[in-house]
Amino acid sequence: VVLTDTTSGFYNYSINDFCTDTVCTEFMDNIRPCISYSVLVEAELMNGTKISYPPLDFVMKEEKPSRPRRPTIEESTATSLKVSWLPPDVGEFCVDRYSVCARSSATENEECAEVQDLQTEFQGLSPCVEYEISINAVSASGEPGELNVFSGVTDFKTPGKPRHLSPKASGTSSVTFSWSPPEDNHHCIRGSTASCREAASDSSNKFTKIDTELDRDTDSMEKGTYMEVTSLKECTNYLCSVWIPAEGDNKWVKSDELEISTSIVGLPMPLEAPRHVQTNEQRNSIQLFWMNPKEAARCIDGYYISWIASKGSSSLESEFVEKGKLTYKLTGLEACTLYDIRISAYTENWGKIINGTAMDVQVETLQDVPGPVQDLAQEESSPGSINMCWNVPLQNKNCVESYRIEVKLNEALSFTYYQDSTGVDHECSSVNVPDCPATYVVCVSPENIEGKSGENSCAEAKMEDCLTME
């Protein structure tokens, strides 16, 4: 009896069995799972004649594969990892394919592939990220084997510029500011340096502080980190920046510079106007942003903000903003309204508040849909015409650009026209109508400059005496 391994060619067996029965049985041990065998039986008669029977082909049953062996990172770049491995010790010939996955907790991304070779390459990965790589063999029936898990790290790539530098605190000899890591290759940040130079001179002297290595957790990277620079001069404006290591010896990536000042209390120095005032307008609010004065910012103890609508009878409102804050949100405003806003810095000179030069800006809130008109009613009319009057909407009245007026007698007779707003609280409109006594329905809806209409208000208008209309 000869067993020929038709899968690998390695595991062949043969036996000689003396059997004179009609049916002969022989057990063979150590036959490998999942290997295809061809069985050839040859009978030898007593007279030496040999008789060969037709071959019988069969496949051994499956067994669960063990772990793939010796996983290795063959090659790595900043954006790829090439992985290789050896077949499992158990169930090697039962393996139909390998399932390979690379996952990183830093990016929360997982890349998977199914291959029949003993290697694969993951591309499009993030630089400087450690990936957990899992490999398991899968049999032809789809049963997965045992996992083999190891790790690999992509190569270094120079990060982008640090961003979002923002002042947080100032002392008489130190400044503190925050910054956010760059969007590009932020996992490759290996530390950081802060530097400050005097804004009023070209001095190259830098006061630096080396930051500890950053936490590469995703949440921490989004929130950024704080930097404190010490041993500075009091009452001085500085331009500060953040430096992070780049690829190569003594090479760095520098952020844009942030202007920030050290401070002192009680210095009698006039304050300049705030600079670079910017606004973010909404329907009922305005967010203000500004920068410290260029030269006298060191003595600022806070800001005084006042605002009032350019037109109308609204009262002046004001608020103090504490030191270190360079933004403030005006709330409870009217939509479609132009506001006069004044921002000035102040300092406490031995207990007395002294205001600096003011920066004045005019800002208009965004458009909104007006509310319905109020008290729509017919007033004294002349023959052949209807005179309708109403009060402006209570809600978003400054957004009214025009009025849409619809006059309707029945399904066959109706018409619409528009009338511009006059800007007064009580509006009226007169329209000619046909010549017979009748009751009309008049509807008025306010519209803003974008053509968006508010809710309709309707009222009846009766005509007792009418002129004949050709």
Side-chain angles (χ1 to χ4, degrees):
V1 180
V2 178
L3 270 70
T4 302
D5 176 0
T6 60
T7 298
S8 67
F10 296 139
Y11 304 102
N12 302 310
Y13 301 92
S14 64
I15 60 171
N16 293 317
D17 185 28
F18 181 77
C19 176
T20 59
D21 296 336
T22 305
V23 177
C24 297
T25 302
E26 181 65 33
F27 292 96
M28 304 184 72
D29 296 327
N30 299 321
I31 305 300
R32 294 298 183 104
C34 300
I35 288 184
S36 297
Y37 283 98
S38 179
V39 182
L40 179 64
V41 178
E42 186 179 64
E44 185 175 351
L45 303 183
M46 297 296 292
N47 60 5
T49 303
K50 295 182 178 180
I51 301 174
S52 295
Y53 294 89
L56 173 66
D57 296 328
F58 67 93
V59 180
M60 296 298 294
K61 292 183 178 180
E62 284 187 359
E63 67 175 347
K64 182 178 180 179
S66 60
R67 298 191 311 167
R69 296 175 295 127
R70 299 180 186 176
T72 305
I73 301 296
E74 292 285 343
E75 296 177 10
S76 65
T77 69
T79 58
S80 68
L81 291 173
K82 188 174 182 180
V83 185
S84 67
W85 59 92
L86 295 178
D89 286 328
V90 177
E92 173 184 357
F93 297 101
C94 296
V95 176
D96 177 69
R97 59 193 183 277
Y98 292 92
S99 178
V100 192
C101 292
R103 183 181 185 278
S104 168
S105 59
T107 61
E108 296 184 352
N109 290 334
E110 184 176 45
E111 300 288 339
C112 292
E114 289 196 346
V115 297
Q116 293 181 320
D117 297 330
L118 295 175
Q119 65 177 21
T120 189
E121 184 174 13
F122 294 100
Q123 297 181 336
L125 306 181
S126 299
C128 303
V129 173
E130 182 177 13
Y131 286 88
E132 180 184 270
I133 301 171
S134 61
I135 310 172
N136 70 333
V138 182
S139 68
S141 66
E143 181 180 7
E146 298 177 14
L147 275 176
N148 196 337
V149 180
F150 70 112
S151 62
V153 181
T154 48
D155 295 348
F156 179 85
K157 189 174 183 180
T158 297
K161 289 199 308 184
R163 56 198 178 106
H164 300 161
L165 272 67
S166 177
K168 293 302 178 183
S170 295
T172 56
S173 61
S174 65
V175 293
T176 302
F177 56 91
S178 66
W179 63 281
S180 297
E183 292 182 347
D184 297 333
N185 310 327
H186 62 262
H187 295 288
C188 293
I189 297 177
R190 298 174 295 188
S192 58
T193 297
S195 69
C196 293
R197 63 182 180 89
E198 293 185 27
S201 69
D202 295 328
S203 172
S204 60
N205 294 330
K206 294 180 180 179
F207 304 86
T208 64
K209 180 246 181 198
I210 302 296
D211 188 34
T212 56
E213 185 172 350
L214 293 176
D215 182 0
R216 286 170 173 76
D217 178 76
T218 301
D219 291 338
S220 298
M221 297 303 290
E222 289 297 326
K223 293 176 183 176
T225 188
Y226 288 88
M227 304 291 278
E228 182 182 16
V229 182
T230 59
S231 302
L232 304 179
K233 297 179 183 179
E234 62 182 9
C235 294
T236 305
N237 282 16
Y238 285 93
L239 297 175
C240 298
S241 55
V242 175
W243 307 65
I244 55 179
E247 192 170 4
D249 294 335
N250 297 320
K251 293 186 178 181
W252 300 82
V253 179
K254 179 187 174 185
S255 71
D256 295 332
E257 290 184 315
L258 167 71
E259 187 170 348
I260 189 171
S261 305
T262 51
S263 61
I264 192 171
V265 176
L267 185 67
M269 179 179 290
L271 299 175
E272 296 180 350
R275 298 177 299 139
H276 306 310
V277 176
Q278 297 183 7
T279 60
N280 181 12
E281 305 86 14
Q282 301 297 324
R283 293 185 178 92
N284 304 112
S285 66
I286 299 173
Q287 184 82 43
L288 301 172
F289 306 89
W290 64 89
M291 291 183 63
N292 285 322
K294 186 173 183 179
E295 293 297 334
R298 56 188 179 271
C299 299
I300 291 175
D301 292 303
Y303 286 87
Y304 175 77
I305 301 176
S306 63
W307 63 96
I308 189 172
S310 299
K311 296 180 181 179
S313 58
S314 62
S315 59
L316 180 71
E317 297 188 61
S318 61
E319 187 64 53
F320 284 96
V321 178
E322 65 184 13
K323 182 178 180 178
K325 290 188 176 180
L326 297 174
T327 182
Y328 184 75
K329 187 174 186 178
L330 312 182
T331 58
L333 307 182
E334 290 284 341
C336 316
T337 303
L338 184 67
Y339 284 89
D340 295 321
I341 303 172
R342 170 165 289 188
I343 309 174
S344 60
Y346 71 88
T347 183
E348 293 185 7
N349 184 27
W350 302 110
K352 181 181 178 181
I353 294 180
I354 300 176
N355 289 329
T357 306
M359 172 63 74
D360 294 328
V361 294
Q362 281 193 323
V363 185
E364 186 175 3
T365 48
L366 297 183
Q367 291 286 320
D368 203 353
V369 178
V373 300
Q374 303 294 306
D375 306 320
L376 175 64
Q378 180 182 10
E379 294 193 3
E380 183 177 356
S381 302
S382 59
S385 67
I386 293 175
N387 189 36
M388 301 295 293
C389 294
W390 61 89
N391 293 326
V392 295
L394 297 177
Q395 182 182 4
N396 303 326
K397 66 178 181 180
N398 294 333
C399 295
V400 177
E401 181 72 11
S402 61
Y403 294 91
R404 181 179 182 273
I405 304 170
E406 182 181 16
V407 181
K408 185 175 182 180
L409 176 61
N410 50 44
E411 295 296 327
L413 179 58
S414 67
F415 55 93
T416 300
Y417 66 100
Y418 293 83
Q419 176 174 299
D420 290 339
S421 171
T422 61
V424 298
D425 289 342
H426 189 71
E427 300 267 9
C428 291
S429 179
S430 181
V431 58
N432 293 331
V433 294
D435 59 350
C436 55
T439 298
Y440 293 84
V441 176
V442 180
C443 295
V444 178
S445 62
E447 290 190 354
N448 64 15
I449 196 171
E450 298 173 345
K452 296 180 179 179
S453 299
E455 182 181 341
N456 255 341
S457 295
C458 299
E460 290 186 351
K462 296 183 179 181
M463 286 299 302
E464 302 296 337
D465 297 318
C466 298
L467 296 176
T468 302
M469 193 174 185
E470 295 297 335

